[in-house]
Amino acid sequence: TPMFKKGQSEAKWAREVSSRYSVEISQLLQRFVRGDSFVYYARCKRASILHDWIKGYPTETIEERCKSNNPFSGNITYGNIRAFADFTRFQLRSAYKIASIVFPGQIIDDQEFDSLLRSLEAGIPEDCLDLLTLHFQMSREEYLALNKNGIKTKDQLNAKGKEDLLALLEQVTIEAIFKGKK
């Protein structure tokens, strides 16, 4: 995790985690840091970024919120965000399998877990994951634009006319939508 290690500007991530998740999660992230506060801050920074990613915050907004005082150190890019999401998905799959064996019937069901993984992969909120089942793929920004305008399912998208979608989507995407309607 890119960190700016001079001063205490990265300490804000501990507060961010507490506000996004809970104090308990913040405390869990402190475990096994062996006195290195920057390990803890990096965990908090990743958790905050992932929260915003799956809630559908635009990438530019996430990058801006994570901007460091130093232009050469501690800044987060789209590549960092994707790496955090991919690594988290990889780790969560293993943890979920272990937890389902150790605690049968006490964890979230497979469908909820699959939705979380898909949301992490695409970077879109769970309520618009139905859009991922279209016969073509869109950019994350297009999915978010549809979500922001209340279009969260394939049926809602198919009910819209070309004129309604011109301001939201690329021309290639609009052509793919209406090619599939024929």
Side-chain angles (χ1 to χ4, degrees):
T1 305
M3 300 290 287
F4 182 63
K5 293 191 175 185
K6 293 185 179 172
Q8 289 294 313
S9 63
E10 300 286 5
K12 71 180 180 182
W13 297 110
R15 291 186 305 279
E16 296 283 336
V17 163
S18 294
S19 69
R20 283 176 170 70
Y21 298 102
S22 67
V23 173
E24 291 82 15
I25 297 297
S26 180
Q27 291 170 342
L28 285 171
L29 292 173
Q30 285 180 308
R31 295 185 72 186
F32 310 114
V33 297
R34 297 186 181 111
D36 187 349
S37 59
F38 283 102
V39 170
Y40 170 56
Y41 298 153
R43 290 176 181 178
C44 291
K45 190 173 189 177
R46 285 190 303 271
S48 295
I49 289 168
L50 289 174
H51 176 275
D52 293 352
W53 176 254
I54 65 174
K55 293 298 181 188
Y57 286 78
T59 305
E60 297 80 21
T61 302
I62 298 170
E63 290 173 340
E64 186 63 33
R65 280 194 46 255
C66 298
K67 193 169 256 183
S68 169
N69 295 335
N70 183 328
F72 306 107
S73 176
N75 292 314
I76 296 294
T77 64
Y78 175 76
N80 297 122
I81 298 167
R82 288 291 332 172
F84 299 157
D86 292 342
F87 186 71
T88 300
R89 282 188 6 252
F90 174 75
Q91 296 292 332
L92 277 177
R93 276 194 190 99
S94 299
Y96 181 76
K97 288 176 184 175
I98 293 168
S100 64
I101 292 168
V102 175
F103 305 106
Q106 296 181 18
I107 56 175
I108 62 174
D109 67 23
D110 290 338
Q111 190 173 4
E112 284 181 77
F113 185 70
D114 184 53
S115 292
L116 173 62
L117 292 180
R118 289 176 53 219
S119 190
L120 270 170
E121 181 178 12
I124 60 176
E126 283 187 44
D127 63 348
C128 62
L129 288 176
D130 184 58
L131 293 172
L132 295 177
T133 63
L134 292 164
H135 65 279
F136 57 91
Q137 192 171 1
M138 294 184 276
S139 69
R140 178 175 186 258
E141 289 74 20
E142 289 176 310
Y143 289 119
L144 294 179
L146 291 173
N147 183 45
K148 184 177 179 181
N149 286 277
I151 304 169
K152 298 174 185 291
T153 65
K154 288 188 304 188
D155 293 337
Q156 290 173 336
L157 178 63
N158 288 327
K160 296 291 182 183
K162 277 187 180 181
E163 300 76 29
D164 299 326
L165 300 174
L166 281 173
L168 303 175
L169 304 173
E170 296 289 329
Q171 186 63 35
V172 174
T173 305
I174 294 172
E175 290 170 10
I177 292 169
F178 289 93
K179 180 180 176 186
K181 285 185 177 183
K182 291 180 182 177

